[in-house]
Each structure stands twice: as structure tokens, then as C-alpha cells.
Amino acid sequence: MKRILVTGGAGFLGSHLCERLLNCGHEVVCMDNLFTGRKVNILPFAEHPAFEFIRQDVIDPFKVEVDEIYNLACPASPVHYQHNPIKTIKTNVMGAIHCLGLAKRIGARILQASTSEVYGDPTVHPQLETYRGNVNPIGIRACYDEGKRCAEALFFDYHRQNGVDIRVMRIFNTYGPRMLANDGRVVSNFIVQALKEKPITVYGKGDQTRSFCYVSDLIDGMIALMDQDATVGPVNIGNPDEFTILELAEKVIAMTGSRSEIIFEDLPQDDPMQRQPDIALAKKYFGWEPKVALEEGLKKTIAYFQAELEAGH
Ligand code: NAD
Ligand code: UDP
């Protein structure tokens, strides 16, 4: 049994990670400032004797005694990370420095939740970990993209300079229960719009692509990367099945039986045109690949949002 710190533990991915680690018999310290995270996300296991919640901003220094650290603190949806872009950069950079400083001091292994956004609007397809990306350093997504790139640089410098035991994971679009209904990400937007019989907002022509990974697969990959010794990363974790955004909209309409119409709105600045992970490294080093197909994952996510709407959340 290990004692494990999860920053951003009250968020979408963080809460699933905390729950899984508790189920594996570990002690979990969940640290979150509740910006996009919610107490209801951790409610199912809040009373677990091995669970502890600390309300803390990772921009400020902190001390805890743990064996491992998963650093997830950072809003992931463009709407939220662009709400206060300076804060987003500080969260990525100061958060990484504080977590790495702690890891160095207490000798903990530390995993960084990085992102496919480090590839920007990629000119190489699918994206391999060796691809260095095509990021606009002064655009509206830069607070997130460059913040995450700087965090990766810090992880590798702490590794080389101080021997910190790092793991770096590049997460591709992930969806599932506990996403915020209003966080602006495409899967939650389309499902909520369809369930409310409101227009489905496709940005641009809808010919941009994404590859959607169901949350349980993502958590399997995250823990597998943390627990192996073959690589420090970076390793892509995502589902290689690629869909256009229009295909996703049509799928959600068909699966919900909604009468919603599709409307087309302006494409946001610097919106990547295509995104598909090459997951050969994850397969090679720790035998990970996703198991949940889009339809199966969407079914569970639709059921979650249906229950949320019925409960008036
Ligand atoms: P989320 O917004 O649901 O969770 C982020 C959590 O971090 C929230 O609980 C939020 O309150 C907390 N947080 C934000 N700023 C903080 C701060 N300064 N101090 C302490 N806590 C803070 O997002 P998510 O989808 O669960 O993403 C988790 C991590 O995974 C993020 O680092 C994100 O960049 C990364 N990621 C997610 C995806 C995805 O598709 N979900 C894709 C790529 C990368
Ligand atoms: N998108 C859309 N309609 C929405 C929300 C998003 O067409 O209501 C598009 C968005 O422009 C992007 C894709 O869906 O091309 C994925 O957006 P999301 O914000 O989920 O994630 P990211 O762009 O970070 O991959």
C-alpha cells in the first residue's frame, strides 16, 4: 500500500484516479482548489478511511509526505483555461515546480498529466512522441499549450539535474461521467444539447478530427505508466479511433434520439484540425491499449448526463 498525492483530484480525471487508487488499497491525498473540480465528484469516496481532501492552490507551496505524486491540477477545457490565462500558466508552471520540489525532497515518483496540446495544430499525423509540435506561442491556447510544454521541460530538467523519478503522459481527448455539463468540451456540450433538444453547436465545418478515449481506459493507462520501469516517457495515452466533429454530432443525435438540429458556428482561433495518437510506445512498454469503443463510452456518458439533468444539476 502506498500513500499517493493527486493534485486536481476533485476534477473529472482526478476523481476517477482517486477512486481507482483507493480501490487498489492505497491511501489517497486529494489536493484541489475546486476551480473546475467539485466536491460531488469525490462524494462517493469522501468517507473512505484512506481518503483525505486538502483544499489548496498548487500555485502556493505545500508540504505532504507521500510515496507518489500524480500532477493533474489544471483546467482542461478551453473555456476554463482561457477564463484566466495568466492563472493557467501559473498553475502549470508553479504547480509543476512545487510538485517537483516536493518529489525531490521526499524521493517520490511523480507523473505529469501532459497533453496532446503540446503538438499544437499538428502537421504530422498520427502524432508520435518524437514530433515536436506546431504551437502558436502567442495565441489564445498558448497559456495551456506552452504552460504544459514548460511543465514537461521542468520534469525532464528535474530528472536530469536532480535525479527525480518522473513519468510524463500525453493525454488525448478523454470523456466520461463527471465531466462538467457546462465546461464547453465537445462531448459534454453535444450530449447536453441533445438531451435538452437544443441546437448542436458544430464549430467550423465540423471536418476537424479528434480521437476520444473513455475515462476508464485513460486511468488504466495512467496507472500502468506510473507503475512500470521501462520508460519515463513522454508516452501518448489516447484512443486512436479518429472521428470528425460532425460525425460525433450525428452519433450523439442518433444515440439520444434527439430532435436537435446541427448549427454551424465560427471555428475558435488556433483550433487544431486533426488529432490522433500513435500509441505504439504504450503498447510496447506496458502493453496498454484502449478497450472501450466510442459507442459504448458514449452510452455510459449519456446515461450519466441524463441522470444529472433529471436530478436538476
Ligand atoms: P478538470 O478541469 O476536470 O480537472 C482539473 C482539476 O484541477 C480541477 O479539479 C480543478 O479544480 C483543479 N485545479 C485547477 N487549477 C488548480 C490550482 N491552481 N490548484 C489546485 N487545483 C487546481 O480537467 P480534467 O479533464 O480532469 O484534466 C485533468 C488533467 O489532465 C489536467 O492537467 C489536464 O490538462 C489533463 N488533460 C486532460 C485531458 C482530457 O481530455 N480530459 C486531455 C489532456 C490533458
Ligand atoms: N467543438 C465544437 N462544438 C462545441 C465544442 C467544441 O464543434 O460545442 C469542437 C472544437 O472546436 C474542437 C473539438 O470540438 O475542434 C474539440 O473541442 P474540445 O474543446 O472538446 O477539445 P480540444 O479542442 O481541446 O481538443
Side-chain angles (χ1 to χ4, degrees), residues 1-19:
M1 185 175 99
K2 288 178 225 152
R3 189 167 155 76
I4 302 174
L5 171 66
V6 179
T7 74
F12 161 49
L13 296 181
S15 62
H16 285 282
L17 176 64
C18 289
E19 193 164 18

Side-chain angles (χ1 to χ4, degrees), residues 47-265:
E47 298 304 322
H48 194 296
F51 181 73
E52 199 178 320
F53 175 72
I54 303 175
R55 187 164 185 161
Q56 161 82 36
D57 198 308
V58 295
I59 286 176
D60 302 319
F62 50 84
K63 277 187 189 160
V64 281
E65 294 296 322
V66 288
D67 306 300
E68 279 180 356
I69 303 169
Y70 287 85
N71 184 33
L72 275 66
C74 179
S77 141
V79 173
H80 285 128
Y81 71 63
Q82 287 164 19
H83 169 73
N84 185 345
I86 296 169
K87 171 96 184 185
T88 300
I89 297 183
K90 284 185 181 168
T91 296
N92 276 311
V93 177
M94 299 306 297
I97 289 171
H98 289 143
C99 287
L100 285 161
L102 178 69
K104 178 185 161 194
R105 212 160 47 242
I106 62 180
R109 178 173 289 185
I110 177 167
L111 180 144
Q112 167 68 355
S114 190
T115 169
S116 54
E117 285 286 317
V118 299
Y119 303 123
D121 190 2
T123 53
V124 166
H125 200 69
Q127 291 81 56
L128 282 132
E129 290 85 346
T130 46
Y131 176 53
R132 292 186 185 174
N134 176 35
V135 172
N136 175 359
I138 57 168
I140 57 172
R141 292 174 89 103
C143 59
Y144 184 75
D145 300 6
E146 297 292 14
K148 289 283 187 184
R149 286 169 70 97
C150 183
E152 284 200 14
L154 283 162
F155 266 70
F156 277 86
D157 282 334
Y158 269 81
H159 178 58
R160 283 185 290 257
Q161 202 173 322
N162 299 122
V164 173
D165 189 14
I166 62 161
R167 301 288 181 272
V168 175
M169 165 183 195
R170 292 186 179 150
I171 303 173
F172 283 64
N173 293 66
T174 302
Y175 69 99
R178 299 191 192 144
M179 293 182 91
L180 283 175
N182 65 348
D183 86 355
R185 282 187 266 191
V186 68
V187 174
S188 44
N189 264 16
F190 285 2
I191 292 177
V192 172
Q193 288 163 345
L195 292 175
K196 290 184 169 172
E197 309 266 350
K198 292 205 170 137
I200 308 282
T201 53
V202 169
Y203 302 156
K205 293 195 210 109
D207 55 351
Q208 70 271 41
T209 68
R210 294 291 185 274
S211 309
F212 300 102
C213 185
Y214 188 65
V215 61
S216 57
D217 281 336
L218 194 283
I219 301 298
D220 288 346
M222 189 180 276
I223 293 175
L225 171 59
M226 180 64 123
D227 288 350
Q228 56 75 48
D229 290 314
T231 181
V232 298
V235 178
N236 291 336
I237 300 285
N239 190 320
D241 293 343
E242 187 182 10
F243 296 86
T244 68
I245 293 304
L246 197 54
E247 282 171 334
L248 178 73
E250 284 159 355
K251 213 174 249 300
V252 169
I253 290 174
M255 289 182 68
T256 51
S258 173
R259 283 167 301 169
S260 293
E261 51 160 353
I262 293 175
I263 58 167
F264 294 88
E265 295 188 351

